Amino acid sequence: MDNREIFEELTTLARQPAIWFVARNLYGQQASQRPNNSRRLLRVLAETDNDLTAGAIADILAIRPASVTQIIKKLENNAYIQRVKDESDARIVRVRITSEGRKQLQVLDNKQTDFQTELFDIFDDTEREQFGKSLHRLNEHVMSDEYLNNMRSKMDKHLQHHFDHFVDATRIQKLRKNQKSYLKRMQEHQLRSFFDRDDHEKF
């Protein structure tokens, strides 16, 4: 299979209506391709042993505090989370995932798992591993500064302007950075809460 055939297979796969429709609904992505922050918030609360403030959530998810407030209200209305007062300072409000919220997250996870299993069931373990590594390598290459700059250099100024607007390399770099720092931010807030708890216990 030559490069042209591989590219045609990739673009055909990306346009498959069944995959696009199901992925859009299961992963909560709209036409704008923005992540489902409601689900991400539930995931954050489920993964930490600490109740988090809205400010901490905004920091972990790298979104605006105003957006966090809207998401909290929506999830609270569905009984997926609850607001609780800080045990040491009643002025501080923290957010906690409820049992209903954990059930909803599990339902979403199960649906995703079923979808992924059906999609990749044609591969054995070795083929799946190699396919995943190849796709990851390709994505890293396509998002690299070297590749983007090389593509851009082959365009005239008019196309370069549209390319910059469409690709928005700054946003891509920011997204990549946010993905890598997500765990670090989670650990920082867990550690901070741990020390806060120690201080409260001393008093």
Side-chain angles (χ1 to χ4, degrees), residues 50-76:
N50 306 306
D51 302 331
L52 301 174
T53 63
I57 293 169
D59 182 41
I60 292 170
L61 298 183
I63 59 177
R64 295 181 297 110
S67 298
V68 173
T69 301
Q70 293 177 354
I71 297 169
I72 288 175
K73 288 181 179 178
K74 177 182 176 181
L75 292 175
E76 192 175 33

Side-chain angles (χ1 to χ4, degrees), residues 141-153:
H141 170 62
V142 171
M143 290 201 316
S144 69
D145 292 334
E146 180 181 0
Y147 177 82
L148 292 174
N149 290 335
N150 186 40
M151 290 296 100
R152 191 178 186 278
S153 67

